[in-house]
Amino acid sequence: MLTNSELTAILRENGYKVTPQRLAVYETLAATHEHPSAEMLYKTLRPKYPSMSFATVYKTVEILNRLHVIQIINTGEDSFRYDADTSDHHHVQCTCCGKVEDLFNVDASGIMHDAEKHSGYKLSGHQFYFYGVCEDCRKKH
């Protein structure tokens, strides 16, 4: 994760204003592994930044994604989720409670090779989403 100084430098180098709200959105995202939506971020930040609008949060995550300091997770829900961990990893979502978690150490090289072979593309990246029922939900049922 980036420090405030590193994020400030990246924003300025790319022509964006550095605001407390932008820094707060990133800090909040970097401090959690819950992969919040823009609405969840807004609700978390609203008590500390009562004048912050939902549009500010949404625009900020779009800027941060454009700068490659966060990633957008599209798990097929009505809204996107966000992750400040931009390392190479996948995600798994519980189909009962909706929780999204990081999934590391899954080797996708075979799938990438097959996809290149069958598509004729030279692939530059991938995202995988897995779905199932988490341990907590299985215990409840």
Side-chain angles (χ1 to χ4, degrees), residues 3-4 17 19 26-27 31 33 47 57 74 80-81 85 91 95 97-98 103-105 107 110 116-118 121 125:
T3 65
N4 271 349
K17 290 182 182 177
T19 65
Y26 181 80
E27 286 172 10
H33 295 283
V57 173
N74 180 0
F80 295 115
R81 304 283 192 105
D85 184 347
H91 296 93
T95 55
C97 68
L103 187 59
F104 294 97
N105 302 319
D107 183 9
E116 282 189 341
K117 179 180 162 187
H118 295 292
Y121 281 67

Side-chain angles (χ1 to χ4, degrees), residues 2-116:
L2 300 172
T3 65
N4 271 349
S5 299
E6 292 169 328
L7 181 58
T8 296
I10 291 169
L11 287 166
R12 285 189 178 137
E13 287 167 8
N14 288 279
Y16 293 103
K17 290 182 182 177
V18 177
T19 65
Q21 292 87 350
R22 285 184 177 157
L23 295 175
V25 168
Y26 181 80
E27 286 172 10
T28 301
L29 202 49
T32 184
H33 295 283
E34 293 185 10
H35 307 87
S37 65
E39 184 177 341
M40 295 161 93
L41 284 167
Y42 173 70
K43 287 179 180 176
T44 300
L45 291 164
R46 185 96 169 115
K48 189 172 179 182
Y49 299 91
S51 64
M52 183 186 293
S53 69
F54 177 74
T56 297
V57 173
Y58 188 77
K59 288 176 189 171
T60 298
V61 292
E62 289 297 316
I63 289 167
L64 296 175
N65 180 63
R66 198 173 307 126
L67 297 175
H68 305 290
V69 297
I70 68 165
Q71 62 176 309
I72 295 177
I73 303 169
N74 180 0
T75 58
E77 300 172 297
D78 291 337
S79 62
F80 295 115
R81 304 283 192 105
Y82 303 96
D83 190 353
D85 184 347
T86 58
S87 69
D88 187 19
H89 68 282
H90 310 291
H91 296 93
V92 59
Q93 181 178 29
C94 180
T95 55
C96 288
C97 68
K99 174 174 52 180
V100 177
E101 294 187 276
D102 293 320
L103 187 59
F104 294 97
N105 302 319
V106 174
D107 183 9
S109 59
I111 294 170
M112 290 282 289
H113 175 75
D114 285 349
E116 282 189 341

